[in-house]
Amino acid sequence: AKVRHFKWEVEYMYGAPDCQENVVMGINGQFPGPTIRAKAGDTIVVDLTNKLHTEGVVIHWHGIRQLGTPWADGTASISQCAINPGETFEYRFKVDRPGTYFYHGHYGMQRSAGLYGSLIVDMADGEKEPFHYDAEFNLLLSDWWHKSVHEQEVGLSSNPFRWIGEPQSLLINGRGQYNCSLAAKFSNSSISQCKFKGNEKCAPQVLKVRPNKTYRLRIASTTALASLNLAIKGHKMAVVEADGNHVQPFAVNDLDIYSGESYSVLLKTDQNPYKNYWVSIGVRGRDPKTNQALTLLSYSATPASKLPTTQPPVTPRWDDYNHSKAFTKSIYALMGSPQPPKTYDRRIILLNTQNRLNGFVKWAINNVSLVLPSTPYLGSIKFGLNNAFDQKSPPDNYDSSYDIMKPAPNQNTTQGSGVYSITLNTTVDVILQNANALAKDVSEIHPWHLHGHDFWVLGYGEGKFKDGDEKTFNLKNPPLRNTAVIFPFGWTALRFVADNPGVWAFHCHIEPHLHMGMEVIFAQGVHRVGQIPKEALACGLTGNKQN
Ligand SMILES: O=C1O[C@H]([C@@H](O)CO)C(O)=C1O
């Protein structure tokens, strides 16, 4: 195993992700940030210098469990103090398992501002994937707004509330086309045809393939809001990996991917090699106002300039939830994957609601909308600083009379910074319960992401989770993941073993929802956490602590 060193500087810079000039967050002058490529067992060391002038920064390594290094998880106010302008923080952690991962900002809405990149971990030397492929492509998907993230934040925390709206563009590897489309002639709007020489920074990255080969596409979504669907005209895909875990391979024509998720699919280039084929990405789960992102699967014998003469794949209707559920429920762990414990020690039911607080709009879990404390939990819990955050634990359940199908009669929420204290090495079931939002007949998709662990997704259900529903749980081959979606008016059941001492965020991966309080904190075995680097403690009530 190797130690891989990186020196990164984070700054705001000009960029034109969708061909229109904007300010983006870059790393070493790059947007998206540099791809980290490592082998399982390697140690990654990133010396991150904050070159921003007026704000802190942190980076979260999404999907990496940080076993024994909870201070390197990169969550401001949770695992560490934000890195101040001019300061450098050393992230040092092991990538213990192969898979398709990514990294992103986890302070304010810096992920939405473009602070992200790919992290790909190959099998350790001498080990083989349980499938064959000849070559691979990496597709990091995101969404993009022309309004600055600072303005978006002000809108979200204003009364009256100003929602961020739908994205202007979808990006593939940081590239999108706002004012033109590669498939203009197939669109019913008056959008113009894109003309690229190919070297423009917003030109689509074409996937150049040879005939009769197998390609692995690594697909990850770090969108701020959009749920996406990806399809490749004329080609089926076999899903083989989800969030760094092998799954029972299954064939699809298109796949849904929610923010925080990653997949690998295998693609056989078995179609007419004298043609090119559309790769399309479209919005799901919200009435889309954003054009599809497009690129080409281009066979080696065919120049990329030769556009397909048929229309790109049609994204399934945004509210065709049966299509989404059919895909999601087809995902099973590959035979031989770790199985969940047969029983749980504690069940936490988390009701997801959109609320008001003195006229401001919030999201809350069991009627608590999370407010992050100024002293990060990891340090304050380790040192027993009882005035650093609310000492009252948030509830493990919600009022059984709550009607999840209707707007609540009382839409107000409370705010708090309390944590769920979990006994180390116990098995926890979490039931994520969706509900009606503020408006009548509206319930939205939320992809929930857990830090520090994978969980088994035991099942999905409609309506309110009730006693007996656990009989439907899949305990045989549930997929292991770090992100799972809750469908409108439904529930999702997860199980995890709390075996990683630290303080871990569990939250909706939709950036504005997280910002509006849609998050809970799990603390476990913090007395067992080793020496926390002093830079991670250098703020708030831990500012003068040594350990
Ligand atoms: O948090 C949100 O606010 C809007 C809407 O509910 C009010 O404008 C929306 O779609 C969200 O997801």
Side-chain angles (χ1 to χ4, degrees), residues 296-369:
L296 291 180
L297 184 73
S298 172
Y299 281 68
S300 47
T302 309
S305 56
K306 187 175 167 192
L307 293 179
T309 51
T310 56
Q311 73 160 352
V314 177
T315 301
R317 256 190 75 100
W318 70 274
D319 55 354
D320 182 355
Y321 290 110
N322 287 334
H323 188 88
S324 310
K325 289 173 189 173
F327 172 74
T328 302
K329 294 178 184 178
S330 311
I331 304 170
Y332 296 105
L334 187 66
M335 227 203 303
S337 303
Q339 286 188 319
K342 293 293 174 238
T343 56
Y344 61 90
D345 300 301
R346 177 172 174 188
R347 177 189 282 165
I348 302 175
I349 303 185
L350 299 177
L351 176 70
N352 290 229
T353 52
Q354 190 185 28
N355 301 82
R356 292 186 195 283
L357 184 83
N358 306 323
F360 296 92
V361 178
K362 301 284 173 193
W363 287 88
I365 304 306
N366 291 351
N367 215 39
V368 182
S369 183

Side-chain angles (χ1 to χ4, degrees), residues 161 163 286 354 363 444 513 516:
F161 178 65
W163 175 239
R286 305 180 64 95
Q354 190 185 28
W363 287 88
E444 297 183 352
H513 290 179
M516 292 157 75

Side-chain angles (χ1 to χ4, degrees), residues 215-219 230 232 237-241 252 255 263-267:
Y215 289 86
R216 176 183 191 163
L217 302 189
R218 296 178 181 270
I219 307 161
L230 177 144
I232 306 175
M237 300 172 277
V239 182
V240 293
E241 181 212 347
V252 293
L255 76 100
Y263 290 101
S264 283
V265 299
L266 299 180
L267 169 78

